[in-house]
Each structure stands twice: as C-alpha cells, then as structure tokens.
Amino acid sequence: MDELIIAGRSFRSRLMVGTGKFSSNAQMAATIAASGGEIVTVALRRVNVGDQQDDLLNHIDRSKYLLLPNTSGARDAEEAVRLARLARAAGCDPWIKLEVTPDPYYLLPDPIETLKAAEILVKEGFIVLPYINADPVLAKHLQEVGVATVMPLGAPIGTNKGLRTRDNIAIIIEQAIVPVVVDAGLGAPSHAAEAMELGADAVMVNTAMAVAGNTEMMAAAFGKAVEAGRMAYLAGLGKEQKQAVASSPLTGFLRDEK
Amino acid sequence: MDELIIAGRSFRSRLMVGTGKFSSNAQMAATIAASGGEIVTVALRRVNVGDQQDDLLNHIDRSKYLLLPNTSGARDAEEAVRLARLARAAGCDPWIKLEVTPDPYYLLPDPIETLKAAEILVKEGFIVLPYINADPVLAKHLQEVGVATVMPLGAPIGTNKGLRTRDNIAIIIEQAIVPVVVDAGLGAPSHAAEAMELGADAVMVNTAMAVAGNTEMMAAAFGKAVEAGRMAYLAGLGKEQKQAVASSPLTGFLRDEK
Amino acid sequence: MDELIIAGRSFRSRLMVGTGKFSSNAQMAATIAASGGEIVTVALRRVNVGDQQDDLLNHIDRSKYLLLPNTSGARDAEEAVRLARLARAAGCDPWIKLEVTPDPYYLLPDPIETLKAAEILVKEGFIVLPYINADPVLAKHLQEVGVATVMPLGAPIGTNKGLRTRDNIAIIIEQAIVPVVVDAGLGAPSHAAEAMELGADAVMVNTAMAVAGNTEMMAAAFGKAVEAGRMAYLAGLGKEQKQAVASSPLTGFLRDEK
Amino acid sequence: MDELIIAGRSFRSRLMVGTGKFSSNAQMAATIAASGGEIVTVALRRVNVGDQQDDLLNHIDRSKYLLLPNTSGARDAEEAVRLARLARAAGCDPWIKLEVTPDPYYLLPDPIETLKAAEILVKEGFIVLPYINADPVLAKHLQEVGVATVMPLGAPIGTNKGLRTRDNIAIIIEQAIVPVVVDAGLGAPSHAAEAMELGADAVMVNTAMAVAGNTEMMAAAFGKAVEAGRMAYLAGLGKEQKQAVASSPLTGFLRDEK
Amino acid sequence: MQIIVNSKPIEVAVNCTISALVEQLNLDIKRIAIEYNREILSPEQFHTTIMNDNDCIEIVNFVGGG
Amino acid sequence: MQIIVNSKPIEVAVNCTISALVEQLNLDIKRIAIEYNREILSPEQFHTTIMNDNDCIEIVNFVGGG
Amino acid sequence: MQIIVNSKPIEVAVNCTISALVEQLNLDIKRIAIEYNREILSPEQFHTTIMNDNDCIEIVNFVGGG
Amino acid sequence: MQIIVNSKPIEVAVNCTISALVEQLNLDIKRIAIEYNREILSPEQFHTTIMNDNDCIEIVNFVGGG
C-alpha cells in the first residue's frame, strides 16, 4: 500500500491539517475529520489565566491523530528550541514542526536560525519537520543534520497563491532523501493536487480550509485532491506537447485520403 | 444532490471521457469504468472492410454510459452535419459533440462553421455540445441558437498544457445559461480541479488518461480531482492575499507583548 | 531596414497608440510623441452640440501620424460598417480598426459579426484591421476575406493583464500571412516586449499609457520595450532549459579535477 | 539623473553583463559594448600553462567597465573567500560577486555558506555582491552583515525561464536597504523588463546574450528593455483590472442612450 | 421648422441647408461627418442638401479612442 | 456489377440490396450507418434498396475518439 | 507573596508549590507545560517545587495553529 | 628541483624565485595572481620569494564568467 512514512511511522493520508483560525473547536474537529488527515498541527501559547476556555485538546482524539506542535511565534533558534521543549513537556510525542519567522509581515522562515535550531533539536531526540522557503541547498543542509522531512512553502502563509515556488520545489523533491511536504500558500485543492503531481510526499493546509464558506466540504475536497495528485504521480503523467495531438483517429474520414 | 443536468438529463459524474488512443478496447473499458464518468465520446469512421476488428461498442455498456458521438474529422459545417446525421442513423441518441476543425496541425475549432452547423443541428432536433475556442461572444451566439452546453478548450487538444485560456473561460462561465464543459488540453488532475474550482460544470478528458503509464489509476485520479474541484467551488474558496496571514495566533507569545 | 508594412505602407515604429482616456489633448499629444508611434487610433462619436471643445485633431499632425479610426461602440456588423463609412466621409484615409463588441461588460469582440463586417468593408475598398479574440481559425477566415492585419487581444481591454492568450497568439503568428498586431490588455512594457519576442509584428497600447503616473515616460518605455522585443526576436532567443547551465567555466577550479 | 549607486559608486546603466560562453573575446567585447553595461563579471581559473591564449582582459577597457570578479566554482565559504582574495591580488578593485554553489547540477547558491563568506569578506574590506536564492530573510541577514547589494536569482542559471521567483523577489525589494539585482535565469528582454518594473535596481545577464543568434543585437535589446522597465517603474504602472475598461468613450454612440 | 440632430430636436429656418445647419451649430466643416436620414453625405453635398421638417441628422467627429 | 464502397470498388451481384452487401462484407447491421449515393438510409431501408452499377456507398461505424 | 505568571503579578501563599498554583488557577495539569524561572519542569516536579517571592512562571497550553 | 604548479609537476632551477617561474612559464605578471603554499603573494613578493622542492604553487587568471 502507498503509505507516507515519516521517521518510521506510517500514515495513510498525505494531507496534514492545521487547527488555526476556526470559529470553534467543534468546527475544527469536524473539519479535520472530513479531511481524512492524520497529522494535525497545534501551536503553543500562554494560558489565558482567568479565562477558562474549552480546551482544544478535548476535541482531538489522540489515538487517531498525531499531534504535531509547531514553534510558531519563534523569532530565532533559541525561542524555537524553548517552544519545542515546552511542547514535549506538555506531553506531546517529540515531533515538532519547526518554524522560525522573524519577519512579522510575511512570516517567512529564517534559513540560518532554522538550521541552527534543527541541529539542536535533532540532537535532543526530536523528530524535526522544518518549515522553509523553497531553497534546495538549505533543504540539503537540513537533511544532513537529520530532519525527518522538509516543508518548503508554496507561497507565503495564508496567501492562497498556490505553488509559486514550483521550480525550486521540483528540485528539492528530486534531491530529497526524506519526505517533502509542501506547506503554506496552497489555497485550493488544485494547488494541492499540483504539488502531489510534482512528486511531493504530502501537503499541509490550514487557512484554505478555515476560511472556506463550508469548512468540512473544503476539507473533504482537499482530501480528494491530494489523493488525485498522488495517484496521478504514481500513474505517470504525460508530457506537455507544443502542437495538438488528435484524440480521435486521423484516418478513415468520409473523403478520399491523400 | 449536486447533479450535472444537460438537456434535462441528469448525471452524477462531471467528468466526460474520450475513448481514443487506448491500446485496446479492454483497456479503454477499464479506464472509463475507473473514471466514474457517465458520458463517453466516440468518433465515426469508415468501416475497415475486410479487417474485422473487435467492435468498440461491445465494450461500452449503453445502459450505464451515454454514448456521445463526435464529428471529428469535419472541416466545415456541411461535413459536421453529415457526420451527426450518420451517428444518429447508427442508432445513437441524438446527442452530438460538434467539432469542426479545418486546421490539421492544431486541430482548433472553427467559430463560423461551428455556429452554422449548430444552428442546423439544433433545428433537426439534436442535443448539440459544441467544441469551441474560449471565445465568450461565440459562446453566447451558440447559446442563442440553442446548444445544450458549450465546450471551450483549455489548450489545444492533446497538449496537456492545462487551463491556458483561464481568463476567457471565467467569462464564459459567468455569462453562461447552459453547462460549461472544459474540453481539451487538460493534462493532469490538477488542471481538471482548477477548471471545476473556477465554476465549470464539467470537464472532458481523453489524452491525459490514454497516455498515462497506468490508465486506470489516472482515470480514478481525474475522477477524484473533478469531485474535489466541484466541492471546493461549492464550499467557497478564499481569495488570494498579497501579504501573509498567520494561521497560528499572533498573541500569547512567550514574551511581553508590545 | 526592419520596417512594419501594412497594406503596402511602411512604418518605422511597431507601436500603435490609442488616444483615449487622456486628461487633456496636450497630454495626449505629448504622449504619442514620446511613444515614437506612427499610427494613432481615434473613435467616432456624436458631436457635442453647444459644447465647443478643443478638437482632438488640432493636436495630431497628420503628416506625421496615420489616423486610424476605430468602430468602437458598434454592436454588430451593420453598426460597424456605418461607422467605418462615416470615418471615411470625415476625411480619413480608408483605414479602419474594426471593433464589434456586443458585450458591454468585457468588451470582447464578436467573431461572427466582425467577419461579416470585414468582408463588406474590404469590398468597399477599406484597409481593415480587425480586433479579435485570439482565435487562430477566425484569424485565417479574416485573412481569406482580405484584411490587412489581424489584431488579437492579449487580455480584455483595459485590464493590464498582459499576454494571457499567449498560446493562441503564437499559433496565429505562425500561420499568418498579414502582420499580427497584439491589441488590448498589455499593461506593462514587459508585456509588449513579450509579444514582440513571440513574433508579433506590432502591438497596440492605450490604457497603460493613459493611466500611468507619468504618461510620457510610460510611452517612451513602451517604445523602447517594443524595439527590445523586436530585436530579440530577430537576434534569436535561447530555449528554456530544465537544468542549470553554468555561465562560468566548469574546469580550471582550484582543486584537483576528478 | 536616475543612476544606480552601489557602495557609493554611480552607474548610468542598470544592466550587468557576464563574459562567459562567448565564442571569442572579440564577440564578447562587441556584445558588452552593445549592451551599454558598465559592470562586467569575470571568473577566476587556473592559468592554462603552456597554452597561451589571448587574455580576456586585453578586450575589456577598465577605464570604461568595472571588472566584477565572481567566486564561481566555490563550494563553501572557505573556497569563496580564497577566490575573492586571489581576485584582489590579481589587481582588481575589492568588489566581489559572491557565489557559493555546492550543487553541480542546478548551481544553486548555499544560504549558510554565502552568509558566512559575506561576513568575512565585508570585514576584510570587500564590496560584496552575493548571489542568492530568492529568500527575503536571507537577504535581510546579508544586509545586516554589510553587503553592497543582494542578487537573488530569477530562475536557475542558464535556464532562460524568467522571473519564476517573482513573489519572493517582490518582498526582497520591498524590504531592501541596498540595491537589488536580479541575477540568473533571465532569458529574454521581457524578463529583464519585468524585473525592473517590479522595482529591481538592476539585472544581470550572461547566457541569454551569449547563446543568441546575434549576440550584439540581443545585448542591445536587453539594454533597451532594462531602460524600458526602469522607466515604467518610475512612471507608475496601472493595476490589473478584473473587468474590461474601455479605452474609447462609452457615450456619444450613434443611438439613443438609455 | 424642427429637425432632429443627434436625437435632439433643433429649430432651423425653412429650406435650411446642411451647410447652414453646420454654421448655425458653429461646427468646423473639415472635422465632421454627417448622415442625412441615414445617408452619408459628402462635404460637397452639404450646400445642395435642403432639409425638411423632421429630418434626422447625425453629426459625428473624432474623439480620443483606443 | 461494380459499386464503390468507402472509395474502393467492390463487385456485387446484380440487383444486390444494401442488406446483401452488409452480409457479403460480414458487417454487424446494428453497429453501422450507411450513406447510399450521399443519402443516409435508415436500417429499414437496407432491405428495400437495390443498388445499381457505380453506386457510391459509405459505411461507417464507431471507433475510439475524444 | 507575589510571583509573576505569564508576565502578570499573582498573589500566592508562602511556600506555595507549583501544584498548588495550578490548582489555584484552576488549570488542567495534563494540558499544560510550565517553565519555572526559565527551567522547564516535568509534571513530577510540580509537587516538589516550592516557589519564592518574585519567581517567574510561564504556563503554556496548546491552541489552534498551522 | 620539482615544484607543483596547478596540480602538475614542473622542473625549475634550484633557488628559483616566483618571478623566474612566471618568466619561465611565459605569463604576463599583470594578469595573474599566485598562491604560494596556500599563501597569496602580492606582486612585490614575487621577486623575493625563493621556492623549495615540492612547493605548491597556484597561478590563476581571469576568464569569461557570469
């Protein structure tokens, strides 16, 4: 069977799902269920003392989903490492989606600090899934220090622009020895399918589901699109042709052939 | 339920499938079955007297599929009308995929002759599905003479280039009073999903399936992608954003907020 | 010398310029001068009786510029023919930019009515330059009835989207026996250069100049870009490569070569 | 006057030109002259002992051109620093185009080693112009260590693919405090114009000129395109519009207005 | 008597010619084209064409356009 | 006598009907359409149509197409 | 005595343990992680860690994120 | 004695200076840079640097590059 394997663990779904921006925990839970995803990301934040909310984790069945905490908010390696350790202390498996984003406007990842944090976290036994710009040489460095996947962005987070970094991602995939997960910017199922057709091992989606008119239907749409893209990759896509090629026969017309 | 309705007839699938270029009738039959499609196109050609082949129709269960003959090979309205009449005489329902392609290199449709033929065939009681370049004004003229759908091309047939005519197709969809079926040039499931996300009512695929390494798997991939694109359209896609929008919260960081 | 020849008349510039949307006739005149263009389009409208404005023609030196009236506003062939005849009666050379745009929202040209009007006007001795959607078969029909150029659109007029119809325009160019002028939608000098690199014989620009912050500088920019694109076409562009190709030598490094 | 200023030195041209891949030194010299460029890059290689060739420098008038040596061939920071020092020892001004490309297939730059080398070279008094993937956060780090420009790639070197990294480059430009020079992958004048329209301060071209059928004409074409793009940027480009906007008036038609 | 110019009624003298109308409207004869009851007139016909009550006149000129 | 089927000459018996031709060619009557001298025949007409020398017959069937 | 929890001052009893703080704040011990003066504590340490005046405590939990 | 120039062995006279080597190789001193046992030499050092057996010399010059 065609499974996604990350750090020795198998997953049937190739769609990772974020839990941010939903209007309620119930909506979040219904959406991740509809997506078919098995890996769900969460963020770590200070508890709101005195404002007891419904805890997110009450809505995520951890026997079904791998909880993947991220280090969102970290502006450098030190902050990211601190968040990763806290996530582990809070009872998570030592999986961490490593995000280091010093820039508050475009939230783009820092290649230098990400590599630095990855090296530390791998040594501490974490399964590290770093979020990166689509830089093939950085992806290699990260693989050399032992990350479990690389997660290049398709476009800046939340922009819905799709696979704007397509050429660089194709090179990352070609050279990768770990799964490549396209993260950020995928705004429509067709974008997710395109990434999978290109040979990505998985994709990660949050915003496009959370802002949809119908979040569950959109999640199911992404689920199907990821499967479609994966199957097309396995089935072998045809090449682009410059000139038309008829699909109906070019002989046997109702006229004398020349 | 979300059905495709053409000329009063309902279809569960929004994927039309062509039967050309397959290596065998058995492969063709398995592929259309895997696609989930319910409308399959066929061409009309002179019988090969003295060379009795396995008849294509032996492999298409007409209780399951609507057989949609095309007028491929027609270079003008007269030839197209002749082929349509022959198809009906051969026992088909009076549905016709109208193709008039005078140019043998790019096989692009002729707007003038297509409109002329459509007018004649509609008067003769045919359900006419014309293949056209992505010209919104032509699409309007055709709807005025009573066609059942319009089938604008995404790219020249067999090129696998995808939705190169995206802007014009978006206008056709916006102004259409009949189903819009994107035909030709869709080379990957992501292309099909993109067309559906844009609001197309259906897509038509042949070459991309027939030339795949695994035709059945590719057909299933297109089937899923069409569903994904349709669901995304119904669920309501988010807009492109110029700047990043965080998916994790922007407060509650491990530092004093400013 | 590399001249543009239309209907036997030579032009040094391959940039046609529109005169609409300028804030004053003086600005218009300065802009067309800065563009280097030699063919300028104008529209025909009812005189504003009782409101004597500064006449546009006072600002266009007809010994320098060919005045090319358009049939803008025409919704069918009959209205277009009427406008063409009026333009000639008003003292213009019998050149006409044929526009038939029944749709008031996207102002897209009508292939059927444009062909009909072209046929009539050619017979009446007009030099006909029809504005069309990028439909190669329509372009052929028009050439068969004797038009002097074809003017396919790059994108809907005024949208600044650039060469969205690139694939179809490449086919039109390949098959053309008259000059191909890309008209409408070119919003930046790079778009104009791209059209020329593709082999277009000329381009037509109005909106992008008229709405620029500095209309004269923008006009000069378009002038240079058209020359750049033409020279690149003549000089022979390199092909796209999938893999990198070093520009510095791959030998002689400061290490022992393997 | 609109000059490019790098490290306090002014240049009239915004086109940097490479000297690789030409068929002769004479052709190289004629091409850079035709381009109008004032900054020309060169590589450093072991002398070919016993094979006395015509020296490249005999053909470059250093009173007219700034010679910009690159560190091509360097696979890490150490090798790059060594090459930079050798270039200075060979009599060059201390300007260096910093290239660190460990990967021999795609020749993509290494963000980690490039930053390391930049820091060392800046301290040693070099004017450092680093070649980078289009990573905005890396660009910021480099500016913090004192580079004179950043040179993000449009596409992998020699591919002629154009501005594939457009979105990231737009962010780099928006956040830059030094000139941004788009380097690598620009295969046509329209690509160069597009980069300049986006707000790049300069572009660098080599392959597209060297492989042209007519290298001098292509160089002149790039020269004009860079000027066109720059002028368009200064003149203020219009925005993309979703719907058409007429360039001819929408009143005064030959019919009663509604 | 009254004629219709560009869809609007205008009072002119009886037996008014096109030329007289152009003069009355203060238009430059070299910059316009005229349809008289849907027939295009050449400039030479302006002097010789005498209008009747309720005639329809279209007068156009060039304006900026793309 | 000789008739032309799909641009090729074929020998058939005098007074041969379309049905007989179909049988002679070993074709499946339910899968084809026939033009007789450019007139499309309905299957019912196959039995009643008697061919003459030099008649032109087009016989088509369905094949794979897109 | 006063300690600082997530940058805000909070009054707790003298010799208050982390466990007692968690209880006082009405938090679910299985859903949080705690830094005590920048040192991460394991849940087992909550009972044994006695706070002093002006100690700095960070308490975090999981929220939705992408 | 033998030295290594750009990875290849070359015979030079004993006590040969860098300047002499440059002359022997027929190179233009103004167009090259030299590393002597991984140390970059300034042109002024060419006269004063006397080589020993097995010394490693790198000599580079500019070539076309992008």
Side-chain angles (χ1 to χ4, degrees), chain G residues 17-28:
Chain G
T17 61
I18 295 288
S19 290
L21 173 67
V22 168
E23 205 162 315
Q24 174 178 337
L25 294 175
N26 201 19
L27 299 172
D28 179 348

Side-chain angles (χ1 to χ4, degrees), chain B residues 130-227:
Chain B
Y131 169 60
I132 59 172
N133 212 316
D135 181 330
V137 183
L138 175 64
K140 274 197 170 176
H141 280 304
L142 284 160
Q143 293 173 65
E144 283 157 14
V145 304
V147 299
T149 68
V150 286
M151 301 185 70
L153 58 84
I157 196 164
T159 58
N160 294 327
K161 287 186 175 183
L163 212 57
R164 294 296 175 95
T165 55
R166 183 181 166 98
D167 291 72
N168 271 324
I169 284 183
I171 297 172
I172 292 175
I173 289 170
E174 184 187 321
Q175 302 182 334
I177 56 171
V178 299
V180 176
V181 185
V182 177
D183 184 15
L186 303 182
S190 59
H191 301 159
E194 184 188 356
M196 297 304 296
E197 287 162 6
L198 202 60
D201 296 277
V203 299
M204 155 95 205
V205 176
N206 185 342
T207 299
M209 292 180 191
V211 305
N214 180 333
T215 62
E216 287 177 66
M217 193 185 289
M218 189 60 83
F222 270 98
K224 279 177 190 287
V226 168
E227 287 173 31

Side-chain angles (χ1 to χ4, degrees), chain A residues 35-220:
Chain A
S35 76
E38 295 167 299
I39 302 177
V40 300
T41 61
V42 291
L44 208 58
R45 290 290 181 276
R46 283 172 165 177
V47 295
N48 221 338
V49 172
D51 177 14
Q52 290 312 325
Q53 301 166 291
D54 184 20
D55 195 290
L56 178 85
L57 294 197
N58 293 336
H59 298 266
I60 301 177
D61 178 348
R62 291 174 67 179
S63 68
K64 280 193 194 158
Y65 299 105
L66 172 68
L67 210 62
L68 178 62
N70 67 33
T71 64
S72 62
R75 294 165 303 179
D76 56 26
E78 191 190 336
E79 291 185 2
V81 168
R82 185 181 175 196
L83 282 163
R85 290 172 182 158
L86 277 167
R88 184 156 58 174
C92 272
D93 294 323
W95 290 56
I96 193 78
K97 181 171 177 233
L98 176 59
E99 303 182 6
V100 188
T101 56
D103 178 286
Y105 299 105
Y106 292 102
L107 296 164
L108 291 171
D110 186 324
I112 312 298
E113 297 293 314
T114 300
L115 180 59
K116 204 182 292 176
E119 200 159 4
I120 295 168
L121 291 171
V122 167
K123 282 190 187 137
E124 295 188 5
F126 281 91
I127 308 295
V128 181
L129 297 82
Y131 168 59
I132 58 173
N133 212 313
D135 181 329
V137 182
L138 175 65
K140 273 197 169 178
H141 281 304
L142 285 161
Q143 293 175 64
E144 283 158 15
V145 304
V147 300
T149 67
V150 286
M151 300 185 69
L153 59 83
I157 196 163
T159 58
N160 293 329
K161 286 187 176 184
L163 212 56
R164 293 297 174 96
T165 55
R166 182 183 167 96
D167 291 73
N168 272 323
I169 283 183
I171 297 173
I172 292 175
I173 290 170
E174 184 187 321
Q175 302 183 334
I177 56 171
V178 300
V180 176
V181 185
V182 177
D183 184 16
L186 304 182
S190 59
H191 301 159
E194 184 187 355
M196 297 304 294
E197 287 162 6
L198 203 58
D201 296 276
V203 301
M204 155 95 205
V205 176
N206 186 342
T207 299
M209 292 179 191
V211 306
N214 180 333
T215 63
E216 288 176 65
M217 193 187 288
M218 189 60 83

